[in-house]
Amino acid sequence: MNDVAPALRNEVTARRGRTRRLPLGNWERALLALLLLLTAGLIAGVPGFYPGFAGFLALTENFLPFGFVALGLTTVILTGGIDLSVGAIAGLAAIVMASLWSGLHVSIWLSALIGLLAGGLLGLVNGLIITRLRTEPLIATLATSFIYGSVGVAIAGDNPPSGFPDAFNRVGTGAIGWLPVQIVLFAILAVLFSLLIGRSTFGRRVVMIGYNTDAARYSGVRVRQVLTLSYVISGTMAALAGIVLAAYYSAVRPDMGDLLLLSTITTVVLGGVSIFGGEGSIVGVVIAVLLLGMLRQGMLIAGFSDMVTTMLTGAILLGAIAVKNLFAGRGTGLSTLLGRFRRSGTAPAE
Amino acid sequence: MPESVAHEAGSGVYRARGITKNYGPVAVLRGIDVTLEPGCVHTMMGENGAGKSTLFKVMAGLVRPNGGTLAIDGDAVSFAAPHEAHARGIYLVPQEPALMPELTVAETMFVGQLPTTTGLVKRIDWRAMRSRARAALDTLSLDIDVGALSRSLSIAQQQQIECAKALLRGCRVILFDEPTSPLTTHEVEHLFATMRHLRDEGYTLAFISHRMDEVLEISDHVSVLRDGMLVDSVARPQFDRTRLLSRMVGREMRTIPRRSWSCATDQPALVVKGLAHGSRFADVGFTLHRGEILGLAGLVGAGRTEIAETIFGLRARDSGSVTLAGEDISTLQTHAIIERGLVYAPEDRARHGAVLPMTIAQNVTSGLISRVRSRLGLMDHADEDRIGAETVRRYRVRCAGTDQTLRELSGGNQQKVVFGKWMGLSPSVAILDEPTRGVDVGAKDEIYALIEELAREGMAILVISSEMEELVRLCDRILSVYEGRIVAELSGEAITPERVGRSYLGHAEAQDGVEVAA
């Protein structure tokens, strides 16, 4: 696509267009290959990583909550924004649910639903602060993350509720046959988000805003409405992650979401979503969720400390982004680099 | 000459021989021979994509050619970077100079070579810097304060500062890449005065322009490029407007007179009354009729774009009403205004008009995404491609397919996509802000023909343009805007470039002589 500049040709062409319908771009393909290699390597090299198919699938329960957050956060990052309050929202939503259940004896399922709605509401607050008070998303959600987190601590008290009903805990640890419930939930949501971003008019508007907010406004896109909705989605997904985590541990803690934030941003960026907005796909993010999760689990099972694993995650992120920028030719790309070599050489290689 | 202006030893004959440049398989320059002489303004003309800018970039060391030689005063030269070209006395003034907005004029002129005091501790010699900057500006008779911040300068002044920078670096060959398109008529005259001054001092000047009148006015020599080849090169005595135009487009073309027909009706499509906003504009009122092409003439910055953006719901207004087909739309949001049949194609394509990283098809449907067929909330991409392909065909967009991103297209083709994006909605009123900005001559005519065709179909069209020829050619009626107010209305026989120009320029100078024709 980039090797021609047909605009420079003089004949008038109106060839029947076709949009690339391949679900995987180059980045996603590379990630997928990496994921398969890594998984194969871990299965072959780490004893205990593959304890049978069902056990292998159950490994995902450790990291899929990150995936839920990543799906919602992707929507926000595609608009060119950021939501730093996802961890706090996850914690607060789980605590709201647990408190309703233990304090007011509301049914756990109804409590979970209210927890989800609370997440959406907190996201709405983020969105309104950003769009109505014209605050930078970074600052606005940093501030609300402190507020939401503190509220969570206050509600939870010294002795947060635990020991939820088994039926509820199955959301976090149960399986349908050999298929963990979390995987089913994640698969459904991944497909929904993929359609939302790739095929719905909302997703199109999200991407337009991410690439060029002004042009979106001049095209009649209700920018504030779309932005607000994207933060609502992000908040709801964070709440879902908090609730699933609560079911997984059968307990809640106000700081349970703290780990989510940075890992999830890492995942989204590794998945190929541009932090400046516009560019990226849900498929890439889904693969990145699995890639980072598998890597982490593999390392832990192999006996590396959490510290080493985290360090490696950082290195992978840096490496991946460096490679991506080199190949994407964002001005400081590979072509520039090669050009530099050529320039210093004797003969122009072009 | 002040001591600040260094002289190269040579006289400044700059010769390019057989320059070729390819981008991948596409040949942009195919063996250009051109010689720039001292004391001469040499103009390059050609449609967009003809290779003029690339040629200048090659000559100024920004782009490396694939073949050919450059020679200054007979010495073969080759440049790996612009500063090497500067060292050999060649300077390129970009169309929109990138000065450092927070630095003063003097600082910006000396970026990269700040004068220092002698002594143990070298400090910046502010005094020398200011006086040398002043001297360079005086050489060009420029009345610009060297202590002013760069961001306070107009684009015209920034270009003049670039000229002064060229002088400070001792450059004898100055290339201007399409300097006049962002300038007002008045500013162009200032720039030309500077250029003439430099020419008379024996500098070698080269210049790119689309505007025939300017070219005929300033040039001593004109070269015409088409598709990367030099198709004509004539000295002043042989200038011939028709010949140059036909060489540029490669086919016979006459200067087109005002069209004789009008399909303006007396049915109002858009009625604006008493529109005002702060100090931007006030008391703006007019009626646009079905089938009418109404022009808004005026200087850049007169408030015409702000008026259009206010009508389109993008800006707040203090008072006034806007009525579209009998309905008050002044309180509606942009999306609702679009749905009711009023569209606005903004002047700044890259910032407002289009999303350059998105595909042609996606840009075409971006004005009203819901026009793409959806099933269960999912957009039918095949339908979107169909709409895109239809637009590409109808507006003759040169592209490889509707999945190309807009960034890969030339300015004229981008504009056609933006045009198709809005006209595909069959609006009843279209506001076109600088519809042919950055569009080459051939594509301009196509766009004029499209606008006339739409008027014939009954669309009401408001054209904002800074190109006199465009307004005179297209419009049934012209409103002159000066500092946010409509100061004159011209129609019929009264529409001539002179009278339109006088209607606002006269106002600018004398605050009277307002001409209102029937």
Side-chain angles (χ1 to χ4, degrees), chain B residues 183-199:
Chain B
L183 305 186
T184 62
T185 321
H186 202 59
E187 291 172 327
V188 169
E189 278 160 22
H190 275 289
L191 179 70
F192 281 5
T194 305
M195 286 173 69
R196 285 201 188 91
H197 185 93
L198 288 168
R199 175 183 65 192

Side-chain angles (χ1 to χ4, degrees), chain A residues 13 18-19 199 204 218-219, chain B residues 309 379 384-385 399 421:
Chain A
T13 55
R18 71 207 145 70
T19 301
R199 295 285 299 278
R204 175 61 58 79
Y218 277 72
S219 300
Chain B
E309 289 181 350
M379 293 166 75
E384 180 163 49
D385 282 347
C399 64
K421 156 182 169 180

Side-chain angles (χ1 to χ4, degrees), chain A residues 94-272:
Chain A
I95 285 166
V96 165
M97 173 198 74
S99 308
L100 283 174
W101 171 74
S102 75
L104 301 176
H105 306 293
V106 180
S107 121
I108 188 72
W109 298 109
L110 185 58
S111 306
L113 185 64
I114 294 171
L116 275 185
L117 292 178
L121 196 68
L122 298 173
L124 180 67
V125 171
N126 282 339
L128 291 178
I129 291 173
I130 289 160
T131 57
R132 302 286 153 173
L133 303 182
R134 293 167 194 257
T135 319
E136 283 295 311
L138 187 85
I139 306 298
T141 56
L142 182 65
T144 55
S145 78
F146 293 142
I147 298 169
Y148 298 165
S150 312
V151 173
V153 173
I155 298 178
D158 293 336
N159 223 339
S162 62
F164 304 119
D166 282 348
F168 174 72
N169 291 342
R170 272 174 51 83
V171 173
T173 55
I176 303 168
W178 42 263
L179 203 56
V181 175
Q182 280 204 36
I183 290 194
V184 175
L185 202 54
F186 184 68
I188 293 171
L189 285 167
V191 170
L192 283 180
F193 268 84
S194 186
L195 294 175
L196 181 76
I197 299 301
R199 295 285 299 278
S200 77
T201 56
F202 170 76
R204 175 61 58 79
R205 293 187 173 104
V206 163
V207 172
M208 267 182 87
I209 291 172
Y211 275 130
N212 188 338
T213 310
D214 277 338
R217 208 163 61 85
Y218 277 72
S219 300
V221 172
R222 278 165 277 183
V223 173
R224 293 200 285 195
Q225 191 182 315
V226 174
L227 282 182
T228 308
L229 191 52
S230 73
Y231 286 91
V232 171
I233 290 172
S234 174
T236 310
M237 292 305 286
L240 178 68
I243 290 165
V244 171
L245 276 176
Y248 181 72
Y249 293 118
S250 194
V252 292
R253 277 178 49 179
D255 62 348
M256 63 196 279
D258 289 3
L259 259 181
L260 288 174
L261 175 63
L262 291 178
S263 316
T264 314
I265 294 177
T266 310
T267 310
V268 174
V269 173
L270 181 66

Side-chain angles (χ1 to χ4, degrees), chain A residues 1-19 21 195 198-201 204-205 207-208 211-212 214-215 217-220 222 343 348 350, chain B residues 25-26 227 309 312 314 334-335 338 344 350-352 354-355 357-358 362 365-367 369 377-379 381 384-385 392-393 397-400 402-404 408 410 421-422:
Chain A
M1 221 167 85
N2 290 321
D3 55 341
V4 282
L8 296 169
R9 273 193 243 125
N10 230 1
E11 75 272 23
V12 174
T13 55
R15 210 188 301 168
R16 175 79 179 86
R18 71 207 145 70
T19 301
R21 211 74 42 75
L195 294 175
R199 295 285 299 278
S200 77
T201 56
R204 175 61 58 79
R205 293 187 173 104
V207 172
M208 267 182 87
Y211 275 130
N212 188 338
D214 277 338
R217 208 163 61 85
Y218 277 72
S219 300
R222 278 165 277 183
R343 214 166 273 163
E350 272 181 285
Chain B
V26 181
D227 300 331
E309 289 181 350
F312 198 49
L314 292 165
T334 304
H335 68 98
I338 294 171
Y344 168 63
R351 275 175 58 208
H352 303 142
V355 185
M358 285 175 52
Q362 288 170 339
T365 58
S366 65
I369 300 172
L378 301 181
M379 293 166 75
H381 284 173
E384 180 163 49
D385 282 347
V392 162
R393 232 185 338 265
V397 181
R398 284 176 209 161
C399 64
T402 55
D403 59 340
Q404 258 195 314
E408 296 166 54
S410 71
K421 156 182 169 180
W422 291 122

Side-chain angles (χ1 to χ4, degrees), chain B residues 41 85 126 141 165 220 252 319 337 354 362 379 429 448-449 484 491:
Chain B
V41 176
W126 297 103
S141 338
K165 280 171 77 175
D220 299 299
E252 276 304 318
S319 60
I337 293 173
Q362 288 170 339
M379 293 166 75
V429 177
Y448 294 153
S491 63

